[in-house]
Amino acid sequence: MSQGFFEQFLIILCCAVIATTLFRRIGLPPLLAYLGVGALLGPYSFALVEDSDSIALLSELGVVFLLFMLGLEFSASRMIAMRRTVFGLGSLQVIITACCLIGIGFLFDLPLITTIVIAGALSLSSTAIVSRELIRRDELGSTHGQLSVGILIFQDLAAVFFLIIVPTMGNSSEFPADSTQLALLLLEGSTLLIVLLLVGHILMPILFHESARSGSSDVFVLTSLAATLLAAWLTHTAGLSMALGGFIAGMMLGESHYRYQLEADIRPFRDVLLGLFFVSVGMQLDLQALLLNGHWVLIFTVGLILLKTLIITLLGSLMHKDPASSLRAGLSLSQGGEFGFALLALALSSDLISSEINAIIVSTIISSMIITPILMNHTEQLSRLLHRKPAISPKTNTLSNTPQTTAPLSGHVIICGFGRVGQVIARFLNRSGIAYIIVDSDPLRVSEAATAGEHICFGDARRDDLLDTLSAADARMVVLSFPDPDISLTALQNIRRRYPELPVLVRTRDDRQLEELQQAGASMVIPETLEASLIICSQALTLLDVEPEKIRQQLDQIRAEHYQLLHGYYHGQTSEKFDSSGNMKEILHPVSLGPHSYAQGRSLQAVALRRYQVRVVMIRRDSRSEQNPGPKVRLQSGDILVLQGPADQVETVEALLQDGP
């Protein structure tokens, strides 16, 4: 019985979950699990998935989202700065590799058109695999990561050229094809790219600013998806790569303050769809052809890896004078790419390549893809073995040496909330030479601060996936400066769940939720009103000629006791019992015990005041005061108890002390 798309999609998901779980248990990359699932479910094995075209279309969106996120890392200004790598090293790599492969094709006596198709397919590398592995290893900012991505960007442009000329070769009886037609197609593609860059640079920031002003995370996510897919559709309609459209959309937003929120929103879609992409790649593996021509596949795979590694290493060493990083880039880019599948499928439909040769080349590309993660795990050791100069560490903090919106983050402070307090903190950090990044959900404030040169981005700090994009794992501290303690509490709980050792400083207006924030894991909670009181007290004591050391000791003791001495205050007739949120304020209230009071002769523990959120902060007895009495203190007639807690609860406790439960 034939299965619908839903059933096939469900089979893929279930098998992928099982395979990736098993592969992680045995320490193998999940990419191999996806490829294996595709090979087993595909048409050349158990054929459980028949509608592979629908799966392939869905999975291609994974590459689109991956390129979108890659575009966020490489903004227009950064692309201009990398032009030597992209257009110099990248173009030479593609041209020299293609020429070498064409020469090898002549040795096998293959037709010229067939050798050009094979050369185009094998000279390109896998953007999906290399980018994913570089991101996973946090090596995009390293020297070899920059070289790899620069070459990949040009390869994506070269893929457009190959995808344009292959149909013209198929429609022509001889090669070269009609040069006028080819020139028109190339002109059309170039014009579309320029228009997208110009229009996107103007419209995209406006679109996302309006989306952010709506205050709805759903609208922002939908805007992100729509903008990415629209750019991909435009390039696809013009006969270009969908992934190229995604890259351009990301590049237009790479310097905006929405970059980190966009990364957090797109990542879940990217990871799921990218997994489907690798499944679809595995479906193209013809196991029977692999067995029959295994020796050729092995020879071509090893030869391809050696050839591309050698070419990129030599070119990188000559142009960038860094043999170690060039070798690492060469090993990373030594595989065939996903664009090769599209190119071979196009050539096969145009009868430019035989099915047997196509099966061998496809198997070669997949085999080289499988080996890539293993090679990338050992590139640093190989580069150190072959070169005396070690590769540059990817963890170098270049925050102060590169544009702030694209620099890697490490050893920084994350300021969540950029109101009055957040801005003061940022100024002090700046004066102290400490790197920081700010996240705020007010698009107008973000725009104003970004214009003034602040390192700020738009986003909701309560989302733990956003903190991932802000490199919270490498941060020195997080400062929560929200005026609303509920927002701070939610953000704090998310931070503690993912980063239990990360210091978190929380600012609040008052002490209403101080204990709750401390219990949630705040390293320190600073209530504004209490700190202001301490400053006034210290100034008063200074004017009264109290020794500065004694003042400092008192202040340190109060802070060490979490401001217990300052909690609550005696209310008067004009005092408000409710705060701005409608919650009962915490007050101080004295209660005098008489000979007939219920609490007389009982210990504080026996009275059990804690269940009412009220505590006794002082007992005054015989003209002496005892601060913070212990639970075993027995109460006597004539004691004056100072209660601290919410106003309504204090009234309840007073009645309990006098009349009993």
Side-chain angles (χ1 to χ4, degrees), residues 510-528:
D510 49 42
D511 57 342
R512 180 161 49 93
Q513 289 183 277
L514 188 143
E515 289 189 9
E516 190 175 4
L517 289 166
Q518 290 170 342
Q519 292 172 1
S523 305
M524 182 173 290
V525 182
I526 308 295
E528 280 187 45

Side-chain angles (χ1 to χ4, degrees), residues 20 23-24 27-35 62 66-67 69-70 73-74 125-142 144-146 148-149 152 270-271 274-275 277-278 328-329 331-336 338 368-380 394-395:
T20 51
F23 273 56
R24 285 186 184 277
L28 291 177
L31 181 144
L32 300 181
Y34 289 124
L35 293 173
L66 176 69
L67 266 293
M69 294 189 69
L70 196 64
E73 294 285 344
F74 292 87
S125 304
S126 175
T127 303
I129 292 178
V130 177
S131 301
R132 177 189 172 107
E133 292 299 312
L134 288 174
I135 292 173
R136 188 175 68 85
R137 291 173 168 82
D138 193 22
E139 293 178 353
L140 275 179
S142 65
H144 75 276
Q146 300 278 314
S148 300
V149 173
L152 285 172
R270 179 205 69 183
D271 291 343
L274 200 58
F277 166 76
F278 292 123
R328 296 187 69 180
L331 290 168
S332 300
L333 299 173
S334 60
Q335 75 292 130
E338 54 274 358
S368 64
M369 284 180 165
I370 293 174
I371 296 173
T372 297
I374 301 172
L375 278 178
M376 292 185 72
N377 282 335
H378 300 89
T379 55
E380 186 173 4
K395 292 292 185 180

Side-chain angles (χ1 to χ4, degrees), residues 337-416:
E338 54 274 358
F339 288 117
F341 298 125
L343 196 61
L344 290 168
L346 197 59
L348 188 63
S349 63
S350 302
D351 295 325
L352 299 178
I353 189 172
S354 67
S355 58
E356 183 180 1
I357 296 177
N358 178 74
I360 294 175
I361 301 302
V362 167
S363 299
T364 299
I365 294 176
I366 295 176
S367 300
S368 64
M369 284 180 165
I370 293 174
I371 296 173
T372 297
I374 301 172
L375 278 178
M376 292 185 72
N377 282 335
H378 300 89
T379 55
E380 186 173 4
Q381 294 90 324
L382 289 172
S383 66
R384 288 179 176 176
L385 180 65
L386 299 176
H387 295 280
R388 292 182 179 180
K389 180 182 178 181
I392 297 176
S393 172
K395 292 292 185 180
T396 302
N397 180 15
T398 58
L399 191 61
S400 60
N401 299 325
T402 57
Q404 288 182 327
T405 52
T406 58
L409 297 169
S410 180
H412 57 295
V413 175
I414 302 175
I415 303 174
C416 301

Side-chain angles (χ1 to χ4, degrees), residues 216-230:
S216 171
S217 58
D218 295 341
V219 172
F220 195 84
V221 172
L222 288 173
T223 304
S224 306
L225 295 176
T228 307
L229 295 178
L230 178 61

Side-chain angles (χ1 to χ4, degrees), residues 490-544:
T490 304
L492 176 61
Q493 291 169 342
N494 290 335
I495 292 171
R496 276 291 163 260
R497 185 171 59 251
R498 297 179 70 95
Y499 310 103
E501 304 299 326
L502 181 61
V504 181
L505 179 68
V506 183
R507 161 258 180 167
T508 62
R509 288 190 183 276
D510 49 42
D511 57 342
R512 180 161 49 93
Q513 289 183 277
L514 188 143
E515 289 189 9
E516 190 175 4
L517 289 166
Q518 290 170 342
Q519 292 172 1
S523 305
M524 182 173 290
V525 182
I526 308 295
E528 280 187 45
T529 53
L530 303 189
E531 275 296 323
S533 300
L534 289 181
I535 293 174
I536 294 173
C537 293
S538 66
Q539 292 298 322
L541 293 174
T542 300
L543 292 174
L544 293 171

Side-chain angles (χ1 to χ4, degrees), residues 602-635:
R602 289 180 167 85
S603 67
L604 284 176
Q605 186 175 19
V607 178
L609 305 182
R610 280 291 184 178
R611 57 181 174 174
Y612 297 100
Q613 299 178 333
V614 174
R615 57 191 298 268
V616 178
V617 297
M618 184 178 69
I619 295 179
R620 187 167 180 81
R621 178 183 298 169
D622 299 331
S623 301
R624 296 192 306 273
S625 299
E626 182 179 354
Q627 301 284 344
N628 300 318
K632 295 183 179 181
V633 172
R634 192 168 296 275
L635 303 177

Side-chain angles (χ1 to χ4, degrees), residues 163-179:
L163 291 173
I164 288 175
I165 67 169
V166 166
T168 63
M169 290 191 297
N171 297 330
S172 178
S173 58
E174 59 181 12
F175 184 81
D178 184 4
S179 58

